[in-house]
Amino acid sequence: MIYFDKVTKVYPNAKALEDVTFTVESGEFVSIVGHSGAGKTTLLKMILAEDKPSAGQVFFDSINIHKTNRRDIPRLRRRIGSVFQDFRLLPNKTAYENIAFTMVAAGRSDEEIALDVPHALELVGLGDKKWNFPSELSGGERQRVAIARAIINQPDLLIADEPTGNLDPIAASEIIEIFKKINEIGTTIILTTHNKKIIDSLGRRVLTLDQGHIARDDKDGQYVI
Ligand code: ADP
């Protein structure tokens, strides 16, 4: 599904990625670990077409992300859901409205919204907090709203950049259980994390980045940095 072919990314004062080659198959759950500055966020930005490689190519299925017509980028991005450390919810909208807003933007009908939003909130265990504003939710609950929003348009790929970085260990493990459920339904997941416990409990593939290089690619990974 995702193929990095000898990708290098050079910023004016840093080489963020160097000769990075790997493939993520459809249905995989891959974690990316590495020290701060190792290149994790840069790698995700390449997939989201937020930034371009200095050399090399990135493919989403057969689409060469950085060579494709710019008009095709929104369609590509709609195939990807994303979740971030800082949740990025709209503060003046309820949990329900935050998710519905994304569906409206994707051109979905009122009927679909009325059917799908409660279902997504149930999936993340927030069926009873539909009408709460973000300020009325805990960090873990906010992240669960963000996850429901990220998957509401049924993306093929879910990208999560340090999704548990602001959460306590219990909330973090609840979030990971939700990711597992989403992956079991068939969504490919790429997750970055610093959390050794999460990696060890997942027991799934781990790519370790070190100063822009892939230092390890372990099938049933442990956290080794
Ligand atoms: P990580 O997510 O693993 O912490 P990043 O991908 O954010 O690492 O950063 C990798 C390297 O690239 C770092 O040295 C960082 O300072 C540099 N970098 C990242 N983004 C930019 C940017 N927009 N401009 C200049 N340097 C950047």
Side-chain angles (χ1 to χ4, degrees):
M1 166 180 273
I2 299 290
Y3 173 42
F4 274 61
D5 178 24
K6 300 192 187 77
V7 173
T8 293
K9 176 66 184 178
V10 185
Y11 289 115
N13 294 311
K15 201 176 249 186
L17 296 174
E18 188 169 17
D19 204 25
V20 168
T21 296
F22 67 94
T23 303
V24 174
E25 302 291 351
S26 181
E28 274 197 277
F29 190 151
V30 183
S31 302
I32 299 174
V33 303
H35 293 294
S36 187
K40 304 181 294 297
T41 301
T42 303
L43 188 152
L44 298 185
K45 279 187 180 165
M46 300 289 145
I47 302 173
L48 288 162
E50 286 178 9
D51 212 336
K52 281 194 206 168
S54 312
Q57 315 182 76
V58 183
F59 291 85
F60 190 122
D61 292 335
S62 57
I63 303 161
N64 187 332
I65 296 179
H66 305 94
K67 295 268 161 64
T68 190
N69 193 315
R70 286 174 64 130
R71 276 175 300 172
D72 294 333
I73 295 293
R75 195 175 341 136
L76 184 75
R77 288 203 181 121
R78 277 199 291 278
R79 297 181 59 191
I80 307 173
S82 37
V83 176
F84 303 94
Q85 179 168 357
D86 56 0
F87 320 133
R88 304 193 187 177
L89 298 177
L90 298 167
N92 57 344
K93 293 193 186 295
T94 62
Y96 185 102
E97 289 165 347
N98 262 280
I99 302 166
F101 189 72
T102 301
M103 294 185 75
V104 172
R108 310 274 300 275
S109 71
D110 289 349
E111 289 76 16
E112 284 178 299
I113 292 172
L115 202 66
D116 289 1
V117 176
H119 181 245
L121 282 163
E122 290 291 339
L123 180 80
V124 299
L126 284 180
D128 56 343
K129 303 229 165 147
K130 290 185 192 62
W131 308 116
N132 287 44
F133 288 92
S135 60
E136 298 165 339
L137 296 170
S138 70
E141 289 169 341
R142 285 180 208 184
Q143 193 58 297
R144 287 193 260 157
V145 176
I147 294 169
R149 179 179 61 178
I151 60 164
I152 195 69
N153 291 321
Q154 290 142 16
D156 300 313
L157 171 65
L158 179 64
I159 283 181
D161 194 5
E162 288 282 351
T164 60
N166 283 334
L167 304 179
D168 63 59
I170 291 172
S173 67
E174 287 169 357
I175 294 295
I176 294 304
E177 288 308 311
I178 292 168
F179 283 141
K180 282 189 193 165
K181 216 156 55 170
I182 291 167
N183 179 244
E184 276 162 21
I185 297 168
T187 310
T188 309
I189 300 187
I190 302 179
L191 162 90
T192 72
T193 184
H194 276 104
N195 191 323
K196 175 173 166 38
K197 271 211 173 120
I198 285 175
I199 294 298
D200 293 345
S201 76
L202 272 172
R204 305 292 288 268
R205 182 176 172 202
V206 179
L207 282 174
T208 305
L209 278 179
D210 181 22
Q211 297 181 43
H213 293 271
I214 294 194
R216 303 176 61 102
D217 183 351
D218 297 289
K219 269 214 156 39
D220 39 7
Q222 301 128 14
Y223 191 87
V224 193
I225 55 171

